[in-house]
Amino acid sequence: MTDYQIAKNLGFMFENATRTWGKFDPKNVTLPPSITSFINSNYYNVETEFSMKEIIKGLESGNDSEKYAILKHLVHKIDKGDEDDSGNGSVENEIISIFPNIINNINTENLKIKRLVYMILLKYNHLQPDVSLLSINAIQKSLNDQNCINRSLAIRCLSGIKIPAILPILLLSLGKMVKDSSPLVRSSCAVSILKCIRLDLEFNKDGDVACRDYIRDGLADSESVIYQLSTYLDILLCDNDAKVLSVSIEIYYEVFNGFYDLLHNKVGNIISHLKELDSFAIVNILDILTEYIQLFYSKFDRIDESPNEIKKLYDQLEDLVKYEMNANVILSIIRIMTAVFRNNLPNMNKIAMKLIQRDYDAAINEESKILYGLECIEYLIDEGHIEIRDSQLSHFYPLVKDPITIFEGKVRILYKVVKDTNYQKIIGELEDLICMSTNERKTKLAIKYLNKLITPQYGDLIIRFYLGHLKENEEYTNGLINYIQQDIAGHVDLLIKLVGELFEFNDDIKASIIWLLGEFVMNVDEYEQNEKVTTLKNYLGNLSIRLISAFKGYPCRLKVGILNFVSKLQIHNIVKDEGGYLESDLFRVYTYLVELCEVDVSIKVREAVRQWKFLLPFRSGYYENERKLKNMQLSVLMYQTEKRFQMAGVEAESHVKKYMQTTSDRLDPEYLAYYEELRSSGFELRDYGRYTSSYTSGGAKESTGMASATTKRHVVADRPKYQLQSLEDFLGS
């Protein structure tokens, strides 16, 4: 028997005993302190199971501890039922059956009990609308509670009831609460505005486009729910408290983004509070201001030529990036800097480096954060906004333990920042990484990007490395083939090296090398004749014989490659010696190869040989050969056309690029003066902190908001200071 079962049995025992003591008053019966402590600490816990009768009895009890224990038990069952998601509805049916008993406790003064009742009410109000409506009167009474926490809970609970009929009551309540003295209540009103809008949209419109049109129409109708809620949000956007302003900005971004009439005269105030906002609000307001500034401000080239609000924003952003480590905020700062201050960018290198710094205290989504940071840095490099210094290269050296996505992002950036001063460091780092890595995907990825660096400028180091590892990975050979393809005549020595080890490579690499040899044959007479070119040209006839000897065992692609190579040799032989080609050994080799291809099992090979039989002489009559010789020029031209060179590796699509794109629309210059007048028209800055002297000993607080000649302010008159007097002084006065 567990502790809670023992405690429960003891509780029932003493309860039954006190009922039998008729001559004694049960209230005067006291238990030993040790037993009382044991019962109170172990009677209810997570493992306790209550019958329906016990639950109802506990909810109707006059003891707050019992009510709290029962409600906590019910909330635990609800949460457990949501996790199981069994779909049998047993927990839901149980709660609905006792829903009136739960709602009866909504008038309690105990804050813990009230919170639990609100939680259950918000979850099941739509299933018991009649009972839920009975609780509205009690919730409205809590709106006048002296405790600001009770008022905040009440307005959030009232707005969470999913019954459209309460919208008029909600609007009246919000009209009062948005001017509450507590910032906690006012921020709760902002959240309630969002809930009201969602409730209104849920029962009126479906779909994002329809909702957008509905909001636009509602803002134009002064009697609509949307319009009244927008006026309340307008009041909250004028608040001087950073918490209230943060929540209000998030609600604006969620619902009214793009409807700038709510913002025009508040831009300066919001900018002045930028560093005080929370990270979510900073991200949202910077995204809003990026579009707003491009749309409603005239273009400027230098900061000193910009309006005062823009200058203040620039100073705020420069201060913000010094201590801000939130990746989302940094990304938003980079976006507005590159879009608005293109010619006045600060040290963007240091700002961008913050995106890839690991935060070991927040390991959740760390990989995604660094990945998006790398994509952002890559975007800034492509756009020319930043230039990575040699001292910052160590941030982008890939590690063996890095995930494949981050590994690729770092390698891609290294490829884009390589230059004369750092190519030896970068190439050396990639070569060491290739040798150390045991992950095949990472090795191939590093080699593919290393292949891109095989250029006349940086290729010598890489080629020496590749020649020592040709047989370890086929990507090395692919890199050399791509490099030789750019200038075959200038890299005959490398081609000879590959041909010497041709039969040690796999079939795909063999096919690529044989294709290179075909290109070499078709243009060999145009190359500068030297010993290497002559040696390779003379060896090709013997190579063709060796290739044909094992022709039947090759795959289709390699067979077609060998056929094309030998056919190009035949073309070169005919052009070189038109009279004696029929008696040459190469012609007999070509004839034998054509016969092999004619009976091959692959239709691709048979189609290829049919083309060559039409173009080149092949064991036919004299007149037929003469006709083909006249059309020989066509055959030569077919295989001398310029080939498009493609480097290895595929560029990954950047998700950050879409985020960085901003509107290209501009307002008609004739309206700029009108909107400048709107921004300077002023508003009522709601600085509730000025009235704290009425209930604190600190006196009136000075406002920290933006001062403006056109801004209306509440002026607090100097109040006399009262001092504690003695009774004699008081009577004497």
Side-chain angles (χ1 to χ4, degrees):
M1 185 177 293
T2 60
D3 289 344
Y4 82 89
Q5 289 175 329
I6 296 173
K8 185 175 181 180
N9 292 337
L10 285 173
F12 285 140
M13 182 183 70
F14 287 116
E15 183 179 358
N16 293 330
T18 54
R19 289 174 182 172
T20 60
W21 296 341
K23 59 181 179 179
F24 299 108
D25 186 358
K27 296 180 180 179
N28 297 327
V29 177
T30 59
L31 299 175
S34 59
I35 296 179
T36 305
S37 175
F38 178 76
I39 292 174
N40 292 338
S41 60
N42 292 279
Y43 201 152
Y44 305 107
N45 61 27
V46 176
E47 299 178 359
T48 308
E49 292 294 337
F50 297 97
S51 65
M52 186 60 67
K53 183 178 179 181
E54 291 173 333
I55 291 175
I56 295 175
K57 183 179 177 182
L59 291 173
E60 295 176 351
S61 172
N63 188 339
D64 285 351
S65 298
E66 291 187 17
K67 288 182 181 180
Y68 179 67
I70 295 295
L71 288 169
K72 189 165 64 171
H73 167 74
L74 292 176
V75 171
H76 173 69
K77 288 186 69 174
I78 294 171
D79 183 59
K80 189 176 180 181
D82 289 343
E83 289 181 356
D84 295 342
D85 196 19
S86 57
N88 53 20
S90 58
V91 177
E92 183 177 288
N93 295 333
E94 180 181 339
I95 298 298
I96 291 175
S97 64
I98 59 174
F99 196 67
N101 303 87
I102 297 173
I103 299 302
N104 285 338
N105 294 287
I106 202 167
N107 286 315
T108 180
E109 297 295 330
N110 191 309
L111 186 58
K112 292 183 178 180
I113 295 176
K114 184 171 289 188
R115 282 179 175 176
L116 294 177
V117 174
Y118 282 169
M119 289 174 63
I120 299 174
L121 174 63
L122 290 177
K123 187 169 182 63
Y124 296 105
N125 63 81
H126 61 289
L127 300 177
Q128 289 280 341
D130 295 336
V131 179
S132 301
L133 289 174
L134 294 176
S135 66
I136 291 178
N137 188 37
I139 298 174
Q140 283 184 295
K141 289 181 180 179
S142 297
L143 296 176
N144 298 318
D145 198 288
Q146 292 184 354
N147 191 336
C148 63
I149 298 178
N150 282 337
R151 300 199 302 272
S152 172
L153 285 174
I155 192 64
R156 296 186 73 160
C157 182
L158 191 64
S159 61
I161 298 177
K162 299 178 181 178
I163 302 175
I166 70 167
L167 273 175
I169 300 175
L170 265 171
L171 293 175
L172 290 174
S173 301
L174 282 172
K176 172 185 176 183
M177 303 305 290
V178 292
K179 301 176 182 179
D180 194 275
S181 60
S182 170
L184 177 63
V185 178
R186 299 199 300 275
S187 60
S188 297
C189 288
V191 177
S192 300
I193 289 173
L194 177 61
K195 291 181 179 180
C196 292
I197 292 174
R198 286 177 176 173
L199 180 63
D200 187 42
L201 292 175
E202 183 178 349
F203 291 92
N204 287 284
K205 290 293 179 182
D206 294 324
D208 294 338
V209 177
C211 290
R212 196 71 179 167
D213 295 338
Y214 181 74
I215 291 174
R216 181 182 293 107
D217 296 339
L219 289 174
D221 184 5
S222 60
E223 297 183 358
S224 66
V225 173
I226 298 295
Y227 180 84
Q228 294 181 61
L229 292 172
S230 69
T231 58
Y232 300 151
L233 183 62
D234 183 76
I235 294 173
L236 295 173
L237 286 171
C238 300
D239 208 292
N240 199 43
D241 186 86
K243 174 65 177 177
V244 180
L245 194 57
S246 296
V247 181
S248 304
I249 288 171
E250 292 174 30
I251 304 305
Y252 172 84
Y253 185 82
E254 179 77 16
V255 182
F256 297 104
N257 190 16
F259 301 105
Y260 295 112
D261 289 341
L262 291 171
L263 283 185
H264 287 306
N265 58 344
K266 308 175 189 67
V267 171
N269 179 56
I270 293 174
I271 291 175
S272 66
H273 287 83
L274 184 62
K275 292 189 291 186
E276 305 169 21
L277 305 177
D278 60 41
S279 58
F280 293 101
I282 292 175
V283 171
N284 292 337
I285 195 59
L286 289 182
D287 288 346
I288 293 170
L289 289 176
T290 302
E291 305 288 345
Y292 183 89
I293 292 173
Q294 290 184 302
L295 187 62
F296 294 102
Y297 281 89
S298 57
K299 291 184 179 180
F300 57 90
D301 294 327
R302 299 204 311 263
I303 291 296
D304 52 4
E305 299 175 354
S306 63
N308 292 330
E309 293 94 341
I310 305 298
K311 294 177 182 177
K312 191 160 191 174
L313 175 62
Y314 186 81
D315 295 338
Q316 292 267 29
L317 293 177
E318 280 194 318
D319 293 340
L320 189 61
V321 296
K322 292 178 182 178
Y323 61 85
E324 184 63 54
M325 290 300 297
N326 187 291
N328 294 326
V329 175
I330 297 296
L331 200 61
S332 299
I333 293 174
I334 291 174
R335 181 174 185 256
I336 193 171
M337 282 286 191
T338 55
V340 178
F341 307 106
R342 300 182 67 91
N343 300 324
N344 305 272
L345 295 178
N347 191 355
M348 293 292 290
N349 290 59
K350 292 184 178 179
I351 300 175
M353 290 303 112
K354 289 188 175 184
L355 292 171
I356 57 175
Q357 292 178 0
R358 291 187 176 273
D359 186 1
Y360 294 99
D361 294 332
I364 300 176
N365 295 328
E366 186 69 17
E367 179 180 340
S368 300
K369 171 201 164 188
I370 295 178
L371 179 60
Y372 279 98
L374 291 171
E375 289 186 1
C376 179
I377 292 173
E378 184 181 356
Y379 168 81
L380 294 174
I381 293 172
D382 292 339
E383 296 296 319
H385 296 312
I386 64 173
E387 183 177 354
I388 303 299
R389 303 189 186 95
D390 293 345
S391 59
Q392 296 173 325
L393 286 177
S394 58
H395 293 286
F396 305 102
Y397 287 155
L399 305 176
V400 176
K401 64 180 181 180
D402 282 338
I404 187 66
T405 51
I406 294 178
F407 186 94
E408 183 177 4
K410 289 182 177 179
V411 173
R412 194 163 56 241
I413 290 177
L414 287 178
Y415 166 71
K416 293 189 175 183
V417 301
V418 67
K419 54 186 178 181
D420 293 341
T421 59
N422 61 21
Y423 78 95
Q424 290 184 343
K425 291 181 181 179
I426 293 176
I427 293 173
E429 187 68 29
L430 291 177
E431 289 176 354
D432 292 341
L433 182 67
I434 291 169
C435 295
M436 295 171 56
S437 177
T438 57
N439 188 307
E440 185 177 355
R441 288 183 61 193
K442 292 181 180 178
T443 302
K444 286 188 175 182
L445 187 62
I447 295 174
K448 282 184 178 180
Y449 279 94
L450 201 58
N451 289 343
K452 296 183 178 185
L453 297 177
I454 306 181
T455 61
Q457 191 175 7
Y458 311 126
D460 293 341
L461 284 175
I462 304 174
I463 290 172
R464 285 198 296 269
F465 174 72
Y466 278 12
L467 290 176
H469 301 80
L470 277 180
K471 298 170 187 172
E472 296 178 7
N473 195 310
E474 65 181 60
E475 295 295 336
Y476 294 127
T477 313
N478 289 335
L480 285 178
I481 290 172
N482 289 333
Y483 180 55
I484 295 171
Q485 179 184 345
Q486 298 176 69
D487 182 14
I488 297 178
H491 304 114
V492 174
D493 52 343
L494 292 177
L495 186 55
I496 292 174
K497 175 70 175 177
L498 294 177
V499 171
E501 301 182 11
L502 176 65
F503 293 94
E504 299 180 16
F505 297 124
N506 61 37
D507 293 332
D508 290 336
I509 296 179
K510 283 180 186 176
S512 299
I513 296 174
I514 290 172
W515 180 84
L516 279 179
L517 292 174
E519 293 295 295
F520 171 80
V521 170
M522 295 302 294
N523 301 283
V524 67
D525 293 332
E526 300 178 5
Y527 300 153
E528 181 182 353
Q529 299 301 311
N530 53 43
E531 183 180 356
K532 293 180 180 179
V533 173
T534 304
T535 301
L536 181 58
K537 181 173 64 173
N538 294 336
Y539 174 71
L540 295 181
N542 295 331
L543 177 63
S544 63
I545 296 174
R546 189 175 177 184
L547 289 171
I548 294 174
S549 63
F551 186 80
K552 294 181 180 179
Y554 291 144
C556 173
R557 180 191 172 194
L558 185 54
K559 287 180 179 179
V560 174
I562 293 173
L563 175 62
N564 291 336
F565 165 61
V566 176
S567 299
K568 291 175 182 179
L569 275 177
Q570 177 73 348
I571 292 174
H572 180 267
N573 190 32
I574 293 173
V575 173
K576 181 180 178 182
D577 185 10
E578 295 185 0
Y581 73 93
L582 292 174
E583 304 298 329
S584 64
D585 294 336
L586 183 60
F587 181 74
R588 287 191 287 271
V589 171
Y590 173 71
T591 301
Y592 176 65
L593 178 60
V594 170
E595 291 175 348
L596 288 176
C597 293
E598 284 180 325
V599 295
D600 195 85
V601 295
S602 174
I603 189 172
K604 292 183 179 179
V605 177
R606 298 199 299 271
E607 286 290 337
V609 77
R610 189 176 295 115
Q611 169 188 317
W612 282 113
K613 283 175 63 178
F614 177 78
L615 293 175
L616 297 181
F618 166 68
R619 206 176 56 179
S620 56
Y622 174 79
Y623 295 105
E624 182 67 18
N625 289 338
E626 288 295 325
R627 182 188 65 78
K628 292 179 179 179
L629 288 174
K630 291 180 180 178
N631 297 327
M632 183 63 64
Q633 194 69 22
L634 173 62
S635 304
V636 175
L637 291 174
M638 282 181 59
Y639 290 92
Q640 283 185 327
T641 55
E642 184 178 356
K643 278 76 177 176
R644 182 181 178 185
F645 176 70
Q646 294 183 349
M647 294 298 292
V650 180
E651 292 293 336
E653 182 182 359
S654 175
H655 300 285
V656 176
K657 190 172 183 179
K658 295 180 180 179
Y659 172 71
M660 290 294 181
Q661 292 175 350
T662 58
T663 179
S664 57
D665 297 335
R666 285 284 178 178
L667 198 66
D668 190 336
E670 296 181 0
Y671 292 95
L672 292 176
Y674 167 71
Y675 284 102
E676 185 176 354
E677 183 180 352
L678 278 181
R679 285 192 293 272
S680 61
S681 60
F683 64 97
E684 184 179 357
L685 182 64
R686 299 186 174 273
D687 187 3
Y688 297 90
R690 283 181 170 270
Y691 301 102
T692 56
S693 60
S694 60
Y695 49 87
T696 65
S697 59
K701 294 182 180 179
E702 291 297 328
S703 172
T704 58
M706 183 188 68
S708 173
T710 59
T711 300
K712 300 177 183 178
R713 295 294 187 99
H714 291 283
V715 180
V716 181
D718 294 334
R719 296 184 176 88
K721 296 182 179 180
Y722 297 98
Q723 295 181 353
L724 193 61
Q725 296 177 317
S726 65
L727 184 60
E728 295 179 357
D729 294 337
F730 178 76
L731 293 175
S733 61

